[in-house]
Amino acid sequence: MRQLIARRLLQAIPLLFVVSVVCFGLVKLAPGDPVLSFVTPNMHAEDIERIRHNLGLDQPAYVQYYHWLMECLSGNLGYSLVNHQPVFDQIVDRIPATAGLMGISIALAILIAIPLGLIAGSNRNRFIDKAINLFAYIGISVPTFWLGILAIYLFAIKLHWLPSMGMRTIGQNSAWDIIKHGILPCAVLTFGFLASYLRYIRSGTISQLKEDYVQIQYAFGSKKSTVLFRHVMKHILLPVITLLGLSIGDLVTGALVTETVFSWPGIGSLGMTAVRGMDYPVILGITIFSALLLVFGNLLADILYGVADPRIKLGEVSS
Amino acid sequence: MNRSKWRNVRNELFSNAFGIAALSILAIFTLAAAFAFLSPMDPNALDITAKLQPPSLHHLFGTDDYGRDYFTRALYGGRVSLMVGFASMILSTGIGATIGIVSGYFGGWIDNLLMRLLEVFLSIPSFLVLLLLSVFLSPSVGNIIVIIAFLMWMNIARIVRAETLSLKTREYVLYARASGQNSFGIILKHILPNLVPVIIVGATNNIASAILMESSLSFLGFGVQPPNATWGSMLNNAQSYVVNSPNLALFPGLLILLTVLSFNILGDILRVGFEPKLGRR
């Protein structure tokens, strides 16, 4: 097992290398000269050339890539073109907001999805199943930003129950204030996650109910609820953990639209601001950061899958 | 792919209330988008005196901030949204199916190479790349279609590859090979026809995600640019007027939801229809 994990980790390195080349290349291909953000009107052409030289931008692309990669590996993702702050620090600053929002949404989604999925799967094709199924379909089909706008309209504008944007009220610094700001974005994200988990758990339940151990439990006289919530749930729970791995990969991109709608100060809205301002170092930093999460999230999912079901050999899951 | 399988799909589709609803919605939306020019209003005609009106008999969806008839704009917006979804689907399915077939059929180093490529694409944060590319390529409808397709072919490639791997070992394929037919002929005659079900199912799901992707992109302001509108960009605009005219936000979103929902439901029904072993869901 340990050997297999080590092998998968080693396989991730060339993958990350290629991904970093692609991301770097994409950002390099973008139009616009980064030097211009340092230029002031009374600069001479030589000064501009010197800045270009100092930034290493007069060198061929592969040399620039090499330097950039070395810097990355030592934890320096470069500096923002807009506010000249280190990109690494900016991302780290934003992690708690995004991780908190996503973490709570994912946890809530799993807590709700498990009982609903079990109920739907065990009442297949009955009314309750159809209702839950339709709910899940809507969840995977609804544009999250639209849901966000509707939530803002209803709960913030019409009912005045909750704030519509940001994470804090200026001048207030209480946990309750942050929670109040977080409820709407969290609810929107939870709905999206819930729907995909629900479909997964429902079909898992359907296939588990055909297994022999279920029949044996019934033969022993177990009640339906006992079978479902004690035995079937145990078998469903482990594969659900693998979904967590896949969700980690979605952390930044998944929150991007929702964070933008609610002006939630996380990594997603940082990325959005950077794209609007063509702040390439920040875009590159966030892209690499989310690629890293994606690769390790998938890796984690693979490994957990192997742990959950030893019959599945590691490494075969992904291809 | 034989006739009984198609009958199975048809039965599955028409015996299911969701299926009928999904098909009708898609048929109505497609027709409405195709015949949008029949609407008596001009989608770009400005009438500032009639701006931000609530829905009425004259303006079914009300009017927007320039007094344009919102219903007509939604018809034309649907045209672009559906077209982007459809064209991206065709392109991504083409790419995915080709890579999947080649990879599965030939195996060896080709398979290895293509699957590594697929892994790279899966590891690139696609929405960020989508944003980035649409910033520096001019965000025309054509570019958006191509970009979305290039970020979406992986699922189909995976499914098609797996299916090709199993088809490759069937007797009739083995026989065709032993009798000396060339690979291209075998793929065309024996492999591809049997892949039609998985490709159709994958393609249906792809339209759904393409439409969602385009709408998110346009909502953020990086998609189709004015005066052209899609449902997503209409929502972008509607955000500023949500306090007084929530109908501007309500309708385009509802149209996106209904379209994507119908494609998703259709995809699942088709899957069950093609694979009766799976049983009714």
Side-chain angles (χ1 to χ4, degrees):
Chain A
M1 188 73 207
R2 194 169 297 161
Q3 210 180 351
L4 290 168
I5 295 174
R7 206 185 67 208
R8 291 286 288 139
L9 275 172
L10 282 177
Q11 281 173 350
I13 293 172
L15 178 62
L16 275 174
F17 174 74
V18 178
V19 170
S20 75
V21 172
V22 172
C23 295
F24 185 82
L26 274 175
V27 172
K28 272 290 142 199
L29 282 176
D33 188 350
V35 176
L36 292 180
S37 77
F38 295 92
V39 173
T40 51
N42 50 5
M43 266 186 185
H44 293 294
E46 303 93 75
D47 295 331
I48 296 174
E49 277 317 300
R50 204 172 57 244
I51 292 175
R52 192 183 300 280
H53 181 74
N54 287 343
L55 290 171
L57 291 170
D58 53 349
Q59 284 164 321
Y62 64 89
V63 178
Q64 290 186 36
Y65 171 74
Y66 175 76
H67 287 307
W68 173 78
L69 186 66
M70 288 301 124
E71 287 292 310
C72 273
L73 291 178
S74 61
N76 177 9
L77 291 172
Y79 298 88
S80 157
L81 295 179
V82 175
N83 56 19
H84 305 294
Q85 297 294 309
V87 174
F88 186 80
D89 296 356
Q90 291 193 44
I91 293 179
V92 170
D93 278 350
R94 299 289 189 114
I95 288 179
T98 296
L101 187 66
M102 294 297 264
I104 292 173
S105 307
I106 292 172
L108 276 177
I110 287 188
L111 282 180
I112 304 170
I114 289 176
L116 280 185
L118 284 169
I119 291 170
S122 60
N123 290 297
R124 201 162 153 211
N125 286 335
R126 302 230 185 96
F127 176 76
I128 178 107
D129 174 40
K130 284 186 175 154
I132 292 176
N133 212 9
L134 184 65
F135 173 77
Y137 268 124
I138 293 176
I140 58 164
S141 309
V142 73
T144 43
F145 52 90
W146 180 62
L147 208 58
I149 296 174
L150 290 190
I152 289 176
Y153 178 72
L154 189 63
F155 294 105
I157 297 173
K158 279 282 134 176
L159 297 170
H160 296 289
W161 285 358
L162 294 162
S164 67
M165 60 198 308
M167 197 166 87
R168 290 192 172 88
T169 315
I170 296 168
Q172 275 192 44
N173 200 2
S174 65
W176 173 237
D177 187 48
I178 296 181
I179 292 173
K180 246 172 43 183
H181 281 85
I183 289 177
L184 287 184
C186 210
V188 169
L189 283 169
T190 304
F191 188 49
F193 284 121
L194 173 61
S196 53
Y197 295 163
L198 198 51
R199 284 160 63 85
Y200 191 89
I201 293 171
R202 176 179 174 270
S203 63
T205 308
I206 290 173
S207 61
Q208 285 294 328
L209 284 176
K210 289 180 191 144
E211 297 284 325
D212 290 342
Y213 74 86
V214 173
Q215 298 307 320
I216 291 171
Q217 287 301 329
Y218 279 134
F220 281 151
S222 298
K223 274 189 297 189
K224 191 178 171 187
S225 56
T226 322
V227 173
L228 265 188
F229 284 92
R230 191 169 302 158
H231 302 283
V232 174
M233 188 157 96
K234 216 183 335 180
H235 286 82
I236 302 283
L237 222 50
L238 283 168
V240 166
I241 301 173
T242 64
L243 285 177
L244 285 180
L246 296 176
S247 305
I248 290 177
D250 242 10
L251 207 69
V252 177
T253 339
L256 196 140
V257 178
T258 312
E259 281 183 5
T260 308
V261 172
F262 290 99
S263 315
W264 185 261
I267 302 174
S269 50
L270 178 70
M272 213 42 235
T273 318
V275 171
R276 285 195 207 287
M278 303 238 186
D279 193 348
Y280 292 122
V282 178
I283 299 175
L284 188 55
I286 290 178
T287 312
I288 290 295
F289 178 69
S290 31
L292 212 67
L293 284 178
L294 252 167
V295 171
F296 282 106
N298 288 346
L299 196 70
L300 200 67
D302 273 12
I303 291 170
L304 287 174
Y305 211 80
V307 175
D309 191 347
R311 283 169 300 181
I312 293 161
K313 283 215 189 81
L314 229 63
E316 287 171 11
V317 181
S318 66
S319 53
Chain B
M1 206 59 214
N2 47 33
R3 209 166 282 157
S4 76
K5 232 175 187 175
W6 282 113
R7 197 162 48 221
N8 214 331
V9 170
R10 209 169 51 223
N11 290 341
E12 195 67 40
L13 211 53
F14 287 111
S15 65
N16 189 326
F18 284 155
I20 297 171
L23 267 187
S24 333
I25 288 174
L26 291 177
I28 293 170
F29 283 7
T30 313
L31 286 176
F35 293 103
F37 58 86
L38 288 181
S39 164
M41 318 264 187
D42 180 344
N44 294 319
L46 309 181
D47 181 5
I48 299 294
T49 53
K51 71 172 186 179
L52 296 175
Q53 286 183 357
S56 62
L57 269 181
H58 187 54
H59 297 291
L60 282 178
F61 287 0
T63 57
D64 70 1
D65 47 320
Y66 289 108
R68 298 174 290 199
D69 180 50
Y70 213 54
F71 179 72
T72 312
R73 285 191 71 72
L75 288 182
Y76 280 89
R79 218 177 217 194
V80 184
S81 292
L82 289 172
M83 197 185 71
V84 170
F86 203 74
S88 310
M89 177 274 284
I90 299 275
L91 198 57
S92 64
T93 306
I95 300 171
T98 312
I99 288 183
I101 292 174
V102 168
S103 196
Y105 187 81
F106 293 105
W109 67 269
I110 300 181
D111 180 34
N112 229 322
L113 185 79
L114 289 175
M115 286 305 107
R116 294 296 87 77
L117 180 77
L118 188 139
E119 266 177 38
V120 169
F121 267 84
L122 281 178
S123 307
I124 293 175
S126 52
F127 197 73
L128 271 172
V129 171
L130 183 66
L131 277 176
L132 192 61
L133 283 175
S134 59
V135 169
F136 67 79
L137 301 173
S138 59
S140 68
V141 176
N143 279 342
I144 287 169
I145 291 171
V146 174
I147 300 171
I148 291 181
F150 266 89
L151 295 172
M152 249 182 25
W153 55 270
M154 291 85 81
N155 262 336
I156 293 210
R158 270 183 157 176
I159 307 166
V160 167
R161 175 178 172 272
E163 196 69 17
T164 309
L165 279 177
S166 92
L167 287 171
K168 195 166 77 163
T169 58
R170 300 277 165 87
E171 278 86 357
Y172 54 86
V173 177
L174 294 176
Y175 172 76
R177 271 175 146 176
S179 65
Q181 294 185 32
N182 69 0
S183 306
F184 187 69
I186 296 176
I187 289 177
L188 217 59
K189 231 184 349 235
H190 301 299
I191 306 264
L192 198 57
N194 289 299
L195 286 174
V196 169
V198 286
I199 292 180
I200 291 182
V201 172
T204 316
N205 290 331
N206 260 9
I207 299 192
S209 26
I211 292 178
L212 267 187
M213 257 195 188
E214 182 277 324
S215 68
S216 308
L217 194 66
S218 297
F219 168 72
L220 293 171
F222 294 100
V224 176
Q225 299 297 313
N228 278 329
T230 69
W231 292 333
S233 63
M234 289 167 80
L235 278 171
N236 176 24
N237 187 39
Q239 223 184 350
S240 331
Y241 304 99
V242 74
V243 178
N244 296 319
S245 303
N247 56 306
L248 293 189
L250 184 67
F251 291 115
L254 208 55
L255 294 172
I256 299 173
L257 171 63
L258 285 174
T259 313
V260 176
L261 184 63
S262 303
F263 277 119
N264 277 330
I265 287 179
L266 214 56
D268 272 16
I269 292 177
L270 287 174
R271 181 163 54 223
V272 178
F274 283 128
E275 299 279 341
K277 276 172 291 179
L278 283 177
R280 274 156 184 269
R281 298 250 164 150

